[in-house]
Amino acid sequence: MTLRHLKIFVAVCDCGGVTRAARRLYLAQPAVSLAIHELEQYYGVPLFERLSRRLYITPEGERLLSLARQITALFGEAERTVHGDGLGRVHIGSSVTIGTCLMPGYVRAFEERYPGTRVQVTIENSGTLEERLLQNGIDFALIEGVVHTPQIEAEPFLDDELTLVCPPGHPFALRGRATLQELGNERWLLRERGSGTRELFDSALLTKGLRLEPMWESINTRSIVNAVRTGLGVSVLPAALLRQDFARGTLVRVPIEGLDLRRKFQLLRHRSKTLSGAAQAFIALVRELGAAPMDDFR
């Protein structure tokens, strides 16, 4: 069994079949099929079920895939490091709020310290980033949500809070507060399911026996902000994103009586993944800086 076998195996899993994997790797299809056969012979277990000319990965294959991704990623990191490419590279996942408020400052500070290191950032909702961690698609992630799988460990690194927001003339803004009983009478403009913001809000409401159906769902926080400004409804969003809006008076933050919307920003990593020097250095910087590089949301 060689590194080549593992690279071919990962490609077959990613491409969903031998033919497409062969195209990606610029190999003949029989060579890819032979490599998979040799792997199965080496380990003495089937890695795929072959049904109706399609491949379905087996539980044994799933276990090998997780390790194969890590091994091939580490080999690539070794190549880049030995060839003098600084600390190599780091691929970070970030949820929207952190990507907007914190990540630009983190990346700027990191590149000043390690100018030879390549930083790649992927911004997605928290649920998608958790899936990417499980697939070894990113080194680690900074999110606002909670962890759903035991293979991922979470480290809180910063406090945050959600807040109800509405336009200045709204009754909530004029009175300076909202009650739980009044929430069901509003038109809600919310982030999509799977985002950390939406998950916390929905969970907090469920503890009070409430559930709200939004009239507007979006992956784009700024589109929600603009809709709230024009009076289409109200929302619950991270307070850190809206400091300029509050200062200008275009939006008003309103406490909801009896509802705790505090949360922690979390650093996520796969328990089995060995982090590169670049990833470890970036994590150390995040712990050091905390909220220091937070930028205004525009």
Side-chain angles (χ1 to χ4, degrees):
M1 191 270 293
T2 66
L3 181 66
R4 176 178 176 273
H5 286 88
L6 294 181
K7 287 183 175 179
I8 291 174
F9 173 63
V10 170
V12 171
C13 293
D14 289 344
C15 295
V18 170
T19 302
R20 279 179 285 183
R23 291 197 195 105
R24 175 191 285 188
L25 297 172
Y26 300 99
L27 294 173
Q29 184 174 330
V32 174
S33 298
L34 177 61
I36 298 300
H37 177 68
E38 289 174 344
L39 267 179
E40 291 180 322
Q41 281 194 319
Y42 180 85
Y43 287 111
V45 295
L47 301 175
F48 297 98
E49 294 284 350
R50 294 156 177 85
L51 303 173
S52 301
R53 304 184 70 177
R54 294 187 61 183
L55 296 182
Y56 299 88
I57 194 166
T58 63
E60 294 81 7
E62 291 279 8
R63 289 194 287 272
L64 177 61
L65 178 60
S66 176
L67 294 170
R69 290 189 191 280
Q70 295 176 51
I71 291 168
T72 55
L74 281 173
F75 180 82
E77 187 66 33
E79 290 284 287
R80 289 185 292 273
T81 302
V82 170
H83 289 150
D85 187 17
L87 290 177
R89 67 176 179 179
V90 56
H91 189 176
I92 308 162
S94 173
S95 54
V96 174
T97 300
I98 295 173
T100 302
C101 293
L102 298 173
M103 191 58 69
Y106 287 157
V107 172
R108 182 171 59 246
F110 185 81
E111 290 181 341
E112 288 174 356
R113 295 187 188 184
Y114 308 101
T117 304
R118 179 186 171 194
V119 180
Q120 183 177 354
V121 178
T122 297
I123 298 179
E124 296 277 4
N125 69 40
S126 298
T128 300
L129 293 175
E130 192 168 332
E131 286 298 319
R132 285 182 176 264
L133 277 175
L134 292 173
Q135 296 169 7
N136 200 37
I138 52 178
D139 294 317
F140 64 92
L142 305 177
I143 73 163
E144 307 118 48
V146 297
V147 179
H148 301 90
T149 56
Q151 297 98 316
I152 294 176
E153 64 180 29
E155 173 191 336
F157 71 94
L158 191 64
D159 293 327
D160 184 48
E161 184 177 10
L162 303 182
T163 184
L164 187 153
V165 294
C166 58
H170 192 280
F172 289 165
L174 298 176
R175 194 175 32 180
R177 63 183 177 84
T179 66
L180 289 170
Q181 292 72 24
E182 294 171 311
L183 300 185
N185 300 324
E186 297 300 319
R187 295 191 299 179
W188 286 92
L189 321 173
L190 298 176
R191 283 289 306 277
E192 81 287 2
R193 295 188 187 278
S195 71
T197 295
R198 178 68 177 275
E199 186 172 32
L200 173 60
F201 186 46
D202 285 350
S203 298
L205 290 176
L206 282 176
T207 64
K208 304 297 182 180
L210 298 174
R211 182 176 180 178
L212 300 175
E213 287 298 329
M215 62 159 280
W216 185 314
E217 289 181 291
S218 176
I219 62 173
N220 188 303
T221 302
R222 182 47 62 180
S223 72
I224 296 175
V225 170
N226 291 337
V228 173
R229 279 177 174 171
T230 60
L232 290 181
V234 300
S235 186
V236 163
L237 293 169
L241 286 178
L242 307 174
R243 291 181 300 166
Q244 285 194 346
D245 297 275
F246 299 148
R248 293 168 180 162
T250 56
L251 289 179
V252 178
R253 63 181 300 179
V254 179
I256 304 173
E257 294 179 351
L259 199 65
D260 186 1
L261 295 176
R262 291 173 296 178
R263 63 180 179 178
K264 299 280 188 181
F265 287 164
Q266 302 201 82
L267 190 156
L268 270 54
R269 57 178 291 182
H270 197 294
R271 294 184 185 276
S272 301
K273 183 176 178 64
T274 301
L275 294 177
S276 66
Q280 293 180 46
F282 202 103
I283 288 173
L285 181 140
V286 169
R287 291 171 178 152
E288 173 190 340
L289 296 182
M294 183 171 286
D295 294 328
D296 286 327
F297 182 45
R298 293 176 174 83

